């Protein structure tokens, strides 16, 4: 099976690309390396094309080439990116470009949406509740979901609303890397972990190895859907620090500071029914198992 992965040089993309390649799929990667890094693809042996997906002429680039599936992950992922128009242009035009190409080639499309679309909506977050995007990033993902729904009668489209993803390969995201990564680095460096007052905000953190599985289920699915990809459990930042301290054999106290952003969600928690029902996906790693696995890979670097 031939799969095109956009954003394959990024955190989630590179994990997926390596896992798919190991399972025998034929993979082509497109990435502009805006936030991804070629080092993420050190062990990837397939074709890598450096290009901007929002402007690339895909029909020209892949004339006479067929793809069975396109996994679209390329996106500006820094939610604090200052130019809202450019965020929307890049993310939505990139999606439209890929969507049109998938239609043209009759390929299945699996793409990354986000829990950000729910904003401060009700908990647990369900796929059919009204989106409340709080920033341009979340709005771009909502617009992608709207475009996807309109095309679902023409091609198979699987939208995966990722919750907060953490795991190996995210270090190149810098300040956009998960809080689990940032807090691990602070504690390991002997500092007190710094979080927004008073650390009781909660997130549904999902391990990147579970995302590989969710994407694989999407790749194999014969039915269109937009579903949550989370664990169904929300963990506070204070709890995360406890688990990290435990794994590092330390006991660093939290340092709290004011949150400068007005778009933060207080809690994210996925309703996981649809993902199980439509895709047969259920996260395997709970937060303790995920952090333990991640810490050992970070400590062995
Ligand atoms: N990490 C999370 O917690 C999370 C949560 C929800 C959704 N997502 C979505 O998952 C996808 C992957 O995110 P990630 O965490 O791996 O982030 P990432 O920044 O590591 O990956 C995004 C990749 O897309 C590339 N890219 C950006 N704009 C591009 C363009 N115009 N053309 C080609 N390549 C481009 C970047 O260089 C990068 O390699 C994104 O669509 C993101 O919005 C991630």
């Amino acid at each position: 099976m031939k799969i095109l992965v956009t954003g394959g040089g990024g955190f989630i993309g590179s994990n997926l690309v390596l896992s798919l390649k190991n399972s025998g799929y034929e993979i082509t990667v497109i990435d502009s390396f805006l936030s991804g890094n070629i080092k993420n693809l050190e062990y990837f042996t397939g074709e890598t094309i450096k290009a901007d997906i929002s402007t690339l002429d895909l029909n020209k680039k892949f004339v006479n080439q067929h793809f069975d599936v396109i996994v679209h992950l390329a996106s500006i992922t820094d939610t604090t990116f200052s130019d809202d128009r450019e965020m929307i242009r890049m993310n939505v035009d990139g999606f439209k470009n890929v969507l049109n190409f998938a239609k043209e080639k009759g390929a299945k499309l699996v793409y990354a949406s986000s829990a950000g679309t729910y904003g401060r909506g009700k908990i647990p977050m369900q796929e059919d509740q009204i989106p409340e995007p709080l920033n341009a990033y979340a709005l771009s993902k909502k617009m992608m979901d709207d475009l996807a729904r309109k095309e679902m009668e023409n091609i198979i489209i699987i939208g995966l609303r990722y919750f907060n993803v953490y795991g190996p390969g995210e270090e190149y995201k810098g300040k956009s890397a998960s809080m689990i990564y940032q807090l691990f680095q602070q504690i390991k460096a002997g500092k007190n972990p710094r979080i927004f007052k008073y650390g009781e905000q909660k997130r549904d953190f999902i391990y990147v190895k579970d995302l590989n599985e969710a994407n694989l289920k999407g790749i194999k699915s014969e039915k269109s859907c937009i579903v949550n990809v989370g664990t169904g459990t929300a963990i506070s930042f204070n709890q995360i620090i406890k688990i990290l301290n435990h794994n590092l054999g330390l006991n660093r106290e939290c340092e709290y500071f004011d949150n400068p952003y007005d778009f933060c969600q207080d809690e994210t928690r996925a309703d996981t029914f649809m993902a199980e029902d439509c895709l047969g996906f259920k996260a395997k790693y709970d937060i303790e198992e995920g952090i333990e696995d991640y810490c050992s890979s970070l400590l062995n670097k």
Side-chain angles (χ1 to χ4, degrees):
M1 188 188 277
K2 285 189 77 173
I3 305 179
L4 177 65
V5 182
T6 76
F11 159 43
I12 295 166
S14 58
N15 275 280
L16 179 65
V17 158
L18 293 170
S19 148
L20 291 174
K21 191 80 189 163
N22 284 340
S23 304
Y25 293 94
E26 199 179 324
I27 311 293
T28 300
V29 166
I30 296 181
D31 202 298
S32 63
F33 295 104
L34 175 76
S35 54
N37 196 301
I38 193 71
K39 286 186 194 150
N40 275 335
L41 295 174
E42 206 178 342
Y43 302 107
F44 173 62
T45 49
E47 184 184 17
T48 300
I49 298 160
K50 185 173 189 287
D52 178 346
I53 200 69
S54 67
T55 52
L56 180 67
D57 185 338
L58 287 160
N59 283 311
K60 198 165 154 197
K61 182 78 203 167
F62 297 116
V63 72
N64 297 330
Q65 267 200 69
H66 171 75
F67 292 103
D68 301 289
V69 182
I70 303 170
V71 180
H72 177 59
L73 303 170
S75 166
I76 297 182
T77 53
D78 177 358
T79 53
T80 64
F81 188 79
S82 59
D83 187 342
D84 285 0
R85 273 172 181 271
E86 180 58 6
M87 169 86 87
I88 303 277
R89 187 202 66 74
M90 188 95 103
N91 290 358
V92 179
D93 284 2
F95 183 70
K96 282 183 190 162
N97 197 16
V98 170
L99 186 60
N100 288 334
F101 182 62
K103 266 166 65 184
E104 190 99 12
K105 297 275 176 183
K108 189 184 293 175
L109 175 59
V110 180
Y111 73 94
S113 181
S114 168
T117 53
Y118 295 113
R120 297 194 184 98
K122 76 168 178 57
I123 305 287
M125 290 151 159
Q126 287 173 315
E127 290 83 349
D128 60 358
Q129 75 193 55
I130 294 171
E132 295 176 32
L134 297 167
N135 56 22
Y137 169 78
L139 178 61
S140 74
K141 296 289 178 182
K142 180 213 171 277
M143 290 166 79
M144 288 164 57
D145 288 348
D146 292 344
L147 288 165
R149 264 192 216 95
K150 283 190 192 143
E151 295 295 346
M152 282 181 178
E153 55 193 50
N154 299 319
I155 54 166
I156 300 175
I157 307 179
I158 290 98
L160 301 176
R161 286 189 179 155
Y162 301 160
F163 278 62
N164 288 73
V165 192
Y166 66 100
E170 61 173 321
E171 57 270 29
Y172 299 110
K173 291 182 73 177
K175 68 178 171 57
S176 299
S178 75
M179 281 307 291
I180 294 180
Y181 176 75
Q182 316 275 0
L183 295 167
F184 171 92
Q185 294 300 346
Q186 292 167 18
I187 297 173
K188 190 169 156 267
K191 297 177 188 157
N192 288 340
R194 299 190 79 237
I195 47 177
F196 296 149
K197 282 178 185 169
Y198 283 99
E200 281 306 307
Q201 307 88 331
K202 289 181 175 165
R203 294 286 177 273
D204 186 335
F205 283 105
I206 180 156
Y207 197 40
V208 73
K209 291 185 182 175
D210 275 326
L211 273 243
N212 288 344
E213 188 58 25
N215 273 294
L216 193 59
K217 297 272 188 194
I219 287 166
K220 290 179 176 169
S221 175
E222 290 305 324
K223 207 171 92 190
S224 292
C225 59
I226 296 178
V227 298
N228 290 336
V229 175
T231 63
T233 305
I235 306 290
S236 73
F237 292 111
N238 287 326
Q239 282 172 285
I240 293 292
I241 289 170
K242 268 196 197 142
I243 301 171
L244 284 168
N245 266 323
H246 171 75
N247 275 277
L248 288 164
L250 295 166
N251 193 15
R252 299 273 171 225
E253 296 271 320
C254 301
E255 218 175 278
Y256 298 110
F257 65 105
D258 288 321
N259 181 353
Y261 303 113
D262 59 4
F263 57 74
C264 288
Q265 294 160 290
D266 301 321
E267 178 170 347
T268 64
R269 176 155 56 94
D271 184 311
T272 57
F273 175 79
M274 285 264 285
E276 273 190 74
D277 194 47
C278 301
L279 282 189
F281 169 73
K282 192 170 167 41
K284 290 197 177 79
Y285 288 83
D286 68 22
I287 193 73
E288 277 88 6
E289 291 164 335
I291 291 185
E292 190 183 343
D293 194 73
Y294 190 19
C295 281
S296 66
S297 102
L298 285 169
L299 291 168
N300 285 332
K301 271 209 148 194

